[in-house]
Amino acid sequence: MKKKLCIAFAFFVSMLAQAQVPQGINYQGVARNTAGNALANTSIGIKFTILQSGSSVFNETTTLTTDMFGLYNHVIGSINTSQFSTINWAGGNMSIQIGIDPSGGSSYTTIGTTVLQSVPYALYAASSGTSGTVSTQSLSIAGNTLSISGGNSVTLPPPPTYTAGTGISIASGIISNTKPDQVVNLNSAGSATVTGTYPNYTVSAPAAANPQLSINSNTLSIIGSNSVTIPPQTLSLSSNTLFISNGNSVTLPSSTVSATAPLTGTGLSGNPLAIPQASAGVNGFLSGTDWNTFNNKLDNTMPSGYLFVGNASGVATRVPAGGDVSLSNTGVFTVKGLQTVPISTVTPTSNQILQYNGTAWSPAAASSLAWTTGGNAGTTPSSSALGSAANNNYIGTQDAKDFVLTTNNTERIRIASSGPIGINNQSPAAMLDIASSNPVGVNVVNSGVNSSAAVFNNTSNGNSLPALNVSTASSSGPSAVFSGGSGIQTNSITISGGTPTIGSVLTASNSIGVAFWSNPVYFSYSGSTTSVPNASLTTVTFSGSDYPQSPAGVFNGTTFTAPVAGLYHFDAIITLQNSIPTPIFDYQLQIMINTGTYKTSWIPIVSFATAGVHIGNQISVDMFLASGHTVSVGVWQNSTTSMSPASGNTLNFFSGHLVH
């Protein structure tokens, strides 16, 4: 938590009007926190500033450490000696200002300013040539009361109270250990050793021997320690329940094996699994003798063109090859027909197809409805539904399947069953979806006169999406590049719609980037004769325009009205001239929104010994305005009389423009 400081301070100056005057001012203060407690033994940053008629003539910074009462001392001028020696003490009206940083840094907080009385002016004696003696003051302390001779006294906070515990002594502010050497008793079954000195002792115990277990009959022992007797226990099994004597029982999971012929048995003791030997009416395994008998009964002869085929009973049976195929005795199959219709034995020629002639399938030239690789003519696509017209020619699918075109055994174009077309894209998400790794994905060239290479038109009135959406995943490249031909259209882009003029900009109107043409907004006026009364905020009227404003009427000489919402920038300079000498002058220049102050430029108190002096004030500001907001310039001064702007357009002007 940041601490705020409350500083109680007293200072005295010890100077004598001698040939050699001490160059410094003794300063003593007490640092306290907001609760009034002294900041004891704390490092603080402190800044001393000597003011003459309110202006700084000397600065000095240092870091000091307070004592147990929060007191700190410093000789002002002992660090920045060169600047201290140049102070004109004869000028009078001197004061000292103190700044404190309780953390010991340089972020100083001003805690007070005190007028210097007659004693510090003894420094003037060093250059005045006048001799004399300045009274000397001294500090004294009794108990916790601090006094200055010829002045007041302050009560210092009492130091903290400490209570001594066991072995601790507190005497005359000194805390000491009264029992530095104490005996420590260790209770250990083994031999332990203690090394080191107070308070850093090391206690070591011998490592225990590795314990070992032994068992003799039912007695379990640990070497060097006790033993226990384990009562005898036995296991017994009844059905699938396992028992331990003098203990509990558990039920073992049952296991049942179901054997299917020719496998018999349960696999349990006394009833093993087994396969019987095959015999008449009994399925089982064949003995070697039985196998030889069976093998010798096989018939190794078969008529030409026959096959072994399993019949309905699962028995292999010899049958001749039939139907649309025939089988030679060399194992060659010959297709004789399709769907029981015979195929002609005529040898086909190039580009012929197999065509049904009413009797057989025979080679014939391609019909007019077939598509060939050599090109096709006489096609008559119909606007009627597919398949409804006699000459409705097309290439495609008649079911809900995609249509794919390939080259080099690689898919290139896919027309999805729902309509989208993908180029190098098997899952087109748009009506035309192109996936390309080439530097140029799509290149549209139009060499016609007064024609467009590409036109994108969104004809849906209720669709909020753009007709053309260009984006890029590149972190450095642009989303789109538009370049024109020669002449005025070189490297240009035309965006139609709206009424743009020279200097118009595109302005986004919503969060998805829809933009419209916006005309530029600017004005600049200079010169003013507005009289500024004393202590009264006055709106300034400017005399004339420096150039035509845009749009017309946006500034009437006094008030600017924002035609559109946006970020605006304004600059203003007002130079006032006093008509009489002004000992006190405080000047504020304001930019006002809707007649309320937005930003102020303030010139603090100054004075003019003569009339006709110019003092200028300027302000520059960026602000966001809603459409219809007004902006004007206001001036406030307290010179005790009215003041007027100085003549000259460069000394008084007001300008502004729309940034975006």
Side-chain angles (χ1 to χ4, degrees):
M1 180 179 72
K2 182 180 290 185
K3 295 182 178 179
K4 296 184 178 178
L5 295 178
C6 171
I7 304 298
F9 62 91
F11 67 91
F12 64 88
V13 180
S14 178
M15 298 179 181
L16 298 176
Q18 300 170 352
Q20 181 64 36
V21 179
Q23 294 297 307
I25 300 175
N26 288 329
Y27 183 89
Q28 185 177 66
V30 178
R32 300 178 184 272
N33 60 19
T34 55
N37 298 321
L39 297 178
N41 303 317
T42 301
S43 178
I44 62 174
I46 187 164
K47 178 180 180 181
F48 299 95
T49 302
I50 296 179
L51 306 173
Q52 189 168 45
S53 299
S55 298
S56 173
V57 295
F58 171 80
N59 286 285
E60 184 171 84
T61 61
T62 186
T63 301
L64 303 175
T65 301
T66 64
D67 64 8
M68 63 187 295
F69 300 108
L71 280 170
Y72 60 91
N73 297 276
H74 181 67
V75 178
I76 302 173
S78 61
I79 297 176
N80 189 1
T81 57
S82 59
Q83 188 182 18
F84 189 84
S85 63
T86 63
I87 299 175
N88 181 17
W89 299 97
N93 196 15
M94 309 293 286
S95 58
I96 184 168
Q97 184 181 82
I98 309 300
I100 295 290
D101 184 347
S103 64
S106 58
S107 298
Y108 305 106
T109 299
T110 299
I111 62 171
T113 302
T114 303
V115 175
L116 291 175
Q117 300 300 329
S118 59
V119 173
Y121 292 113
L123 292 174
Y124 176 58
S127 60
S128 67
T130 302
S131 62
T133 301
V134 180
S135 61
T136 302
Q137 291 178 290
S138 60
L139 289 174
S140 62
I141 187 168
N144 63 336
T145 301
L146 179 67
S147 304
I148 184 170
S149 60
N152 67 325
S153 61
V154 293
T155 299
L156 302 178
T161 300
Y162 298 96
T163 301
T166 302
I168 300 298
S169 172
I170 301 176
S172 300
I174 299 176
I175 302 175
S176 59
N177 181 5
T178 60
K179 297 181 179 180
D181 299 308
Q182 297 296 308
V183 177
V184 179
N185 296 319
L186 299 176
N187 297 321
S188 173
S191 58
T193 60
V194 180
T195 59
T197 59
Y198 177 84
N200 300 312
Y201 291 124
T202 300
V203 180
S204 303
N210 294 329
Q212 297 181 358
L213 290 174
S214 65
I215 188 166
N216 182 12
S217 183
N218 64 334
T219 300
L220 180 65
S221 304
I222 182 170
I223 297 177
S225 186
N226 65 321
S227 62
V228 294
T229 300
I230 303 174
Q233 291 178 294
T234 58
L235 291 175
S236 61
L237 180 67
S238 175
S239 184
N240 65 333
T241 302
L242 181 65
F243 296 90
I244 184 170
S245 61
N246 300 320
N248 64 328
S249 63
V250 293
T251 302
L252 303 177
S254 60
S255 177
T256 303
V257 177
S258 299
T260 303
L263 186 65
T264 62
T266 62
L268 300 177
S269 177
N271 189 16
L273 294 174
I275 299 178
Q277 183 176 350
S279 61
V282 178
N283 294 328
F285 67 89
L286 292 177
S287 65
T289 301
D290 293 340
W291 167 254
N292 291 331
T293 301
F294 171 78
N295 188 49
N296 292 333
K297 290 182 179 181
L298 289 177
D299 187 356
N300 58 4
T301 63
M302 185 180 295
S304 176
Y306 274 68
L307 298 170
F308 265 116
V309 179
N311 60 17
S313 301
V315 179
T317 306
R318 292 179 299 184
V319 295
D324 292 333
V325 298
S326 62
L327 178 65
S328 69
N329 56 6
T330 59
V332 176
F333 284 93
T334 301
V335 179
K336 301 184 299 180
L338 293 174
Q339 296 291 320
T340 70
V341 176
I343 297 177
S344 171
T345 58
V346 177
T347 302
T349 61
S350 178
N351 294 328
Q352 284 188 319
I353 63 173
L354 196 60
Q355 192 176 62
Y356 180 60
N357 59 14
T359 303
W361 294 100
S362 179
S367 67
S368 59
L369 295 178
W371 294 82
T372 66
T373 58
N376 301 276
T379 60
T380 55
S382 174
S383 60
S384 303
L386 294 179
S388 63
N391 293 320
N392 196 354
N393 303 142
Y394 65 91
I395 295 178
T397 63
Q398 292 183 343
D399 52 8
K401 302 294 182 181
D402 295 351
F403 179 70
V404 178
L405 297 178
T406 67
T407 63
N408 195 25
N409 200 32
T410 301
E411 179 179 325
R412 305 300 184 190
I413 300 176
R414 175 182 292 262
I415 304 176
S417 61
S418 58
I421 301 173
I423 300 178
N424 288 335
N425 191 340
Q426 294 185 348
S427 302
M431 291 309 296
L432 178 59
D433 202 334
I434 301 174
S436 173
S437 60
N438 294 331
V440 179
V442 178
N443 186 20
V444 181
V445 178
N446 189 344
S447 59
V449 178
N450 295 327
S451 59
S452 300
V455 175
F456 300 90
N457 187 8
N458 192 339
T459 60
S460 176
N461 186 39
N463 194 343
S464 61
L465 298 178
L468 175 63
N469 188 348
V470 182
S471 62
T472 180
S474 172
S475 61
S476 58
S479 297
V481 175
F482 299 90
S483 59
S486 59
I488 193 173
Q489 301 300 329
T490 301
N491 296 328
S492 63
I493 178 175
T494 300
I495 301 177
S496 61
T499 56
T501 62
I502 295 176
S504 296
V505 295
L506 284 173
T507 303
S509 62
N510 57 24
S511 59
I512 64 174
V514 176
F516 299 94
W517 285 114
S518 295
N519 292 329
V521 179
Y522 53 82
F523 74 93
S524 178
Y525 270 60
S526 59
S528 177
T529 59
T530 302
S531 177
V532 182
N534 177 55
S536 176
L537 180 61
T538 303
T539 302
V540 179
T541 298
F542 294 88
S543 302
S545 177
D546 298 325
Y547 46 77
Q549 56 182 290
S550 175
V554 71
F555 183 66
N556 61 8
T558 302
T559 303
F560 167 80
T561 303
V564 295
L567 180 65
Y568 288 81
H569 178 81
F570 296 96
D571 294 290
I573 292 179
I574 298 296
T575 303
L576 296 181
Q577 175 179 300
N578 65 326
S579 58
I580 61 174
T582 54
I584 299 176
F585 181 70
D586 192 355
Y587 176 18
Q588 296 182 14
L589 177 62
Q590 300 183 2
I591 294 291
M592 301 184 295
I593 300 179
N594 297 337
T595 70
T597 300
Y598 178 77
K599 189 172 184 180
T600 299
S601 175
W602 175 53
I603 296 178
I605 297 174
V606 296
S607 61
F608 301 109
T610 62
V613 178
H614 293 178
I615 180 167
N617 200 348
Q618 68 179 37
I619 190 169
S620 181
V621 63
D622 293 319
M623 62 179 69
F624 184 85
L625 299 177
S627 177
H629 276 183
T630 61
V631 178
S632 56
V633 175
V635 175
W636 183 92
Q637 59 86 18
N638 67 337
S639 65
T640 70
T641 185
S642 295
M643 301 183 73
S644 299
S647 61
N649 292 344
T650 60
L651 300 179
N652 301 281
F653 73 85
F654 181 36
S655 65
H657 64 273
L658 173 65
V659 178
H660 60 75

